[in-house]
Amino acid sequence: ETNPNEPWWRRSTDKEENDIINENLDMNVSRQQEIVDGVRQQATLRLLETLVAKVTDQCFKACIQEPTFQMKYSEKTCVYNCTDRYREAYQMVSTSFMEHMENMADEEMAREFAKQEKLRAAEEQNATY
């Protein structure tokens, strides 16, 4: 119920206030998701660049005895096995990193939600006085 004696700018229903709060929360959540997605893409790109550089350097050093125009069968096998190990390691690190980023995002959203709830409770308390 709204009080007809209140000024027009204070005559809002609880539903309207809740809709505004929920809309702001939705915008915050979607913005946070955009940020997390952008960070995730940048991190994936950096990991991939690092992986390629490391694989090239390490596998070349480990597998190529004397650089020539054509690789020996044993060198090709060595490079294949070497790159496969790095690919497996990359997948493990990438998966772990993404899980960590998702956990951080979930924690941040929970903190933001709690903050919004405190603000809403304080506004409700102030409105009753």
Side-chain angles (χ1 to χ4, degrees), residues 47 51 54-55 82-97:
L47 282 171
L51 177 67
K54 220 170 237 227
V55 166
C82 182
T83 55
D84 196 45
R85 296 296 169 265
Y86 271 97
R87 182 192 52 78
E88 289 172 359
Y90 171 79
Q91 285 177 335
M92 287 176 22
V93 169
S94 180
T95 300
S96 175
F97 181 77

Side-chain angles (χ1 to χ4, degrees), residues 4-5 7 10 15 28 33 35-36 38 43 50 63 65 68 80 82 87 91 96 101 105 110-113 124:
N5 295 329
R10 297 189 79 195
K15 183 179 178 351
N28 288 338
Q33 190 60 47
I35 291 168
V36 167
T50 301
C63 298
Q65 307 305 322
T68 60
Y80 175 81
C82 182
R87 182 192 52 78
Q91 285 177 335
S96 175
M101 291 299 292
R111 282 193 295 271
E112 182 65 26
F113 181 75
E124 286 178 2

Side-chain angles (χ1 to χ4, degrees), residues 13-61:
T13 65
D14 289 338
K15 183 179 178 351
E16 289 173 353
E17 290 174 1
N18 286 338
D19 288 347
I20 291 169
I21 290 169
N22 288 333
E23 185 178 311
N24 287 335
L25 284 174
D26 288 343
M27 286 191 308
N28 288 338
V29 169
S30 65
R31 179 67 183 135
Q32 286 176 354
Q33 190 60 47
E34 287 175 18
I35 291 168
V36 167
D37 290 344
V39 169
R40 183 179 293 145
Q41 288 173 350
Q42 289 176 357
T44 300
L45 183 59
R46 285 195 184 113
L47 282 171
L48 186 59
E49 289 170 349
T50 301
L51 177 67
V52 168
K54 220 170 237 227
V55 166
T56 301
D57 185 53
Q58 294 295 319
C59 293
F60 184 86
K61 287 177 183 175

